[in-house]
Every structure is written in structure tokens, then in C-alpha cells.
Amino acid sequence: MTGKYDAIKAALKEPALNAQMFACRFGLEVKKHRVLTNGRASRYPYPANLRSRKHNVYLNSGYTDDMIDFETAPVVGSKRAVRHLKVLEQIMIAQLHSDERLWPLSMAPAPLYQNDLDYLKTAFTKPWDQANHDYLGKKYGIAQEILGDVHVNFSLNSDLVKELYQRFYTDRYDSLVDFQNHLYFKLAQSFYLYQWLFTYLFGASPVTEDMPHSFPDDLELPVRSLRCSNYGDDNLATEQVTYNSLEEHFTELQNYIDNGSFYSLKEFFGPVRMRRHNHDNNDLMGILKNGINYIEFRNFDLDPLSRTGISDDTINFLELLLLDSIVSPLPDNLAHRLAEARKQNNEVALQKPQEEADWMKEAANQLMAELQTFVAEFNAPREYRLALTFAQRRIDDPSLTISGQLADQIENGNLLSFGLKIANDRYTANIGYQHPLQAISDTYSDDVQRLIRAGIELGISVLLEDDKVVLSVDDHQEIYQPDEDLDLSNKDVRKFVLDAFPEARAFQEEPLEINK
């Protein structure tokens, strides 16, 4: 097997394959609370201009109407993915009332836990999803369901996967789909083995003194990440799913769905989900038959130190680990190592924020040396080297980790003052931007930015490319040039878009107020 990995490494140094290797795609899903400036849950209705929730894949409400779900379309590279998230945040913040803010932490603010949980249990206005909402609340409880977080959706370049199969794996796998499934699952296993390191580096939910909880009373707060521990966003202890092999993983998932333990794949809260774009979440065997084509990483707390909740460096570090896994074997004693990794992650999550055990530093530095070799061997772009430098500093000094920095901001057992200051600063910055969508103002004219904003608000599909913008509903497309002058500064842009896409009127949950 060593010879095969050497051959793969040689191939990945070829210019075409090397470029494909560093052309991974990322989609980001972020959940944040709308709160008031006093830290209470917002009781304002979900914004009227965004009430296309049955169809809107970019902006939606979550388990409660005060929770906002942001979701970006998959794009190449971390920088573009984060930029798209900034676009969505600016659109949402523009819809907030003057006393509303987006809360930057995974754990809700203390006043919400103290006063608003009973209200939030019923603050939900998506009747088409009411049954799932009620089921999850009854089974897991409101406190777990309102945790904020970040999910990173990752896919390899499809041409790279095909080339790897055709050149190196036709002797082992009967089809490209079979190889693709096992390759993505191997990446998931690699992440699972180092989940503890991501919790150490990026964990950011240290305190919940006012939260109804199921963790022991003698657990001493603050910790590194309650959300990433066994007491956080997890399935019941009796409904865990193995990562020992692809076949066992899917068999257990299917059994839980068949016996009613899970209502669908979406109820599986493991650190990594196997996914296929535009595929029924209940059809697990269909995912295997047609091929896993992306994986969803669910182990990230909101990073309050990054504007959108996740940084380019975090995504680039994740990407390096996954790419290195392509050219590295899994350990021989895999089942044992995976079981140990789960225990290690919980240990790290429940440590003091500025602690670091000797075994952690030793294992982290071994991995960092391996990733440094990978970066040098494959001449990785500069941003990956910066991501390693960033991670190494945190490994060397735990006070530089996110939770290590948050520990110094805790007052009266919570992060209320810290969180509100960040929320206020970001609200002020957003409403002061000079362009309709500041993050993409260097690429698109103000009129095209207004068009993009209206399309996203109305639930229309928006594709952003360097040389064009494509709005679409099903097979109906309208294409605009990046620098196009549409004379929209004094017009009702929503009406302009709805005139172009009259079918989108049916997406709206309430009658639209459109100037005639």
C-alpha cells in the first residue's frame, strides 16, 4: 500500500491534478439567535421581506423564529465561502429592528435562558415543519435545539476523484461510485480521529450557568466547549452511530430510521454526515447507490472572534487535514482508535479553556509536522501555510485558542457583556456600509448587488460568478453582467425581480406590498 500512496503523491504533483486538489468546494451553514440589546430573545416576527421560507435556501428561520439559519451555496475555496456568508449577514442585519442584534456565540445569552425558554418552545411559524419541530423538542429539549453552530459542507473536485479512481483504484473498487463513497468516508474517519484537536482549537462554548442542563452538577465551569461535549449537540447515548466502516455506518443509520429512532438522516447529530446534493434524506441506500458527493462537518461552535462565525483559517486547516488523508493510510487498529477519539474529544471539550494535556500537545505537534510536510511537498498556496501558523500558535499557547480568549471575558458567570459588545459593533458596521452588499462590491456594480439582494430575499436561486450573475427559478434563468447598470437606485428592486420572475410571487408566505 505504501507504493500506491507514493504513486498517488507523485500524481498529485502534476500541475493539473495539483490544481484540482486545491479546488475543493465549501458550503457553510450557520445558526445564530436574533436577540434584543438587553440579551433577551427577540419576539419580533421573522422579517416580512424574507418570508419565502419554503423555498429560500439561503436565509431561513431555525428551530425557533428567533434563530436565523444562513446557508451558502458551495463554492471553490474558503475565502469565497466566507464572503458569501458576509453577504447573507448583511442582508439579514438590514432587516433587523433597531433594538435587534445577531448573537455571536453558540450558547444563548443568560437573559434568554432565564426568561424566554417557555416562549421559544412555541415561537415557530413554519406549519409545514411543525411535526418535526415538536418531535425534536420533546425528545432532546429546547436547550439543545437552540444551540448556535457552524456546519461546513465539503466536496473534492469531481475530476480529481475520477482521476484517482481510474489511475489507482479500479483494482479495489468495482465502480467510481463505490470508490467515491469509500474515499469520502475515509475523510470522515480521519476527521473523527482528530475531532478533539478541532475542539481544542475552535471550541467556543465555555459557560451555561443559566441554561437548563443535563450535565453533572459537579462539572466545574468554564469548560472549553459544552456544545462539542457529550452533553451538547449529540444523539442519545443509546443511539450512537459507528464510524468503523462505511457499511456499518449506513446499516446502523438505516436501522435507526427503520425502527423510528430517527425521523431521517437529519436527526443524526454525529460530527460528520455523508451527503448527496438534492437527495432525499430518508433514502440512505440511494445516497450510496448514486454516490456520496459531499460531507457535512458539524463540530464547530460559532467563533465570536470571526465576523461570520467561522474564519478562512479554520476552513483551510480543515481542508489540509482532509487532503493529507488522501495520501495517508488510516491506523491499523482503527476501531480502537475511533473509540478512543470519542473519549478524547469529550475530555478536551470539558477541560478548562486554558488547559492542555501533555498527550494533546504531543499528538497535535505530530500532526502539524505531517501537515507541514504535506504543504511543502505539494507546494500549497500561501493561505494554507498561514492556517498552519495560526493553529500552531494555539497549540503552543492554549490561552490563544478561542475558548482561552473567551475565558478572560467571562463576567458574573456568563459572556453577556462580551457578546453584546460584539453584536452591537457588527450591527453598527453593517448598517454603515457604503454598498448594498459590501463583501462583493469589488466585483459587482451597486445595481447588480441590489438585484442579488432582492433575489436572495425572495427565495430565488442566485449564482455568483466572476463574469456573470445568474438568477433562476427551475429552468427559468436571467443573466446579468457584473458591472451592469440597471438604473435601480430609485426603483423598487423587489418589484423589478418579481416582474422578471412572476412565479416567485407564489414563494411568499404573506401578500407582498409591491408598489404599482
Side-chain angles (χ1 to χ4, degrees), residues 8-107:
I8 294 171
K9 288 180 179 179
L12 291 175
K13 294 172 187 175
E14 298 170 11
L17 284 187
N18 187 267
Q20 290 173 2
M21 180 169 64
F22 291 108
C24 299
R25 298 174 73 85
F26 296 93
L28 303 175
E29 302 175 40
V30 174
K31 289 184 280 191
K32 292 185 177 183
H33 281 279
R34 282 186 298 139
V35 300
L36 301 179
T37 50
N38 62 2
R40 293 284 301 274
S42 173
R43 301 197 180 196
Y44 289 112
Y46 186 77
N49 281 349
L50 303 176
R51 284 185 172 265
S52 54
R53 291 176 294 175
K54 266 192 176 181
H55 304 272
N56 200 317
V57 298
Y58 307 112
L59 292 169
N60 221 301
S61 56
Y63 181 79
T64 64
D65 277 11
D66 86 307
M67 291 201 75
I68 305 300
D69 286 1
F70 303 86
E71 183 169 351
T72 70
V75 292
V76 174
S78 63
K79 186 174 182 179
R80 286 191 176 192
V82 172
R83 184 176 72 161
H84 285 197
L85 201 51
K86 291 176 181 176
V87 165
L88 297 183
E89 283 222 342
Q90 187 176 348
I91 293 172
M92 175 55 68
I93 287 175
Q95 301 298 324
L96 298 182
H97 291 78
S98 61
D99 58 343
E100 281 185 300
R101 302 290 184 266
L102 290 179
W103 180 248
L105 293 152
S106 287
M107 315 307 292

Side-chain angles (χ1 to χ4, degrees), residues 298-352:
R298 306 182 62 263
N299 195 54
F300 293 94
D301 286 335
L302 287 171
D303 175 358
L305 308 178
S306 299
R307 174 179 150 191
T308 59
I310 189 168
S311 70
D312 300 8
D313 286 319
T314 300
I315 300 170
N316 290 335
F317 184 76
L318 170 65
E319 184 178 8
L320 277 179
L321 174 76
L322 300 176
L323 294 179
D324 182 63
S325 302
I326 296 174
V327 296
S328 303
L330 291 165
D332 292 332
N333 55 340
L334 180 60
H336 172 73
R337 288 285 301 276
L338 289 168
E340 284 299 305
R342 177 172 172 82
K343 295 176 184 176
Q344 289 170 334
N345 181 68
N346 192 55
E347 176 186 338
V348 172
L350 296 179
Q351 283 174 336
K352 293 299 179 189

Side-chain angles (χ1 to χ4, degrees), residues 174 185 200 250 417 482 511:
D174 293 335
F185 195 75
Y200 169 80
F250 270 79
S417 295

Side-chain angles (χ1 to χ4, degrees), residues 393-464:
R393 288 173 182 160
R394 291 179 172 181
I395 292 167
D396 294 340
D397 183 356
S399 70
L400 298 179
T401 62
I402 303 174
S403 60
Q405 294 181 65
L406 292 183
D408 294 331
Q409 303 297 328
I410 297 172
E411 297 178 9
N412 302 316
N414 62 58
L415 288 162
L416 178 62
S417 295
F418 171 78
L420 286 177
K421 182 181 186 309
I422 289 178
N424 286 328
D425 289 347
R426 289 178 183 162
Y427 175 85
T428 301
N430 269 270
I431 62 174
Y433 286 144
Q434 299 301 306
H435 297 280
L437 297 174
Q438 188 74 26
I440 56 174
S441 60
D442 60 341
T443 307
Y444 306 103
S445 70
D446 280 6
D447 273 355
V448 174
Q449 292 171 52
R450 293 184 183 100
L451 194 73
I452 293 166
R453 181 177 62 192
I456 290 173
E457 288 176 359
L458 293 165
I460 293 169
S461 178
V462 178
L463 175 64
L464 303 183

Side-chain angles (χ1 to χ4, degrees), residues 32-33 74 116 120 161 205 210 234 256 293 335 349 402 488 502:
K32 292 185 177 183
H33 281 279
D116 297 318
L120 290 174
V161 175
S205 49
D210 301 288
D234 199 2
Y256 283 136
N293 59 11
I402 303 174
L488 296 178

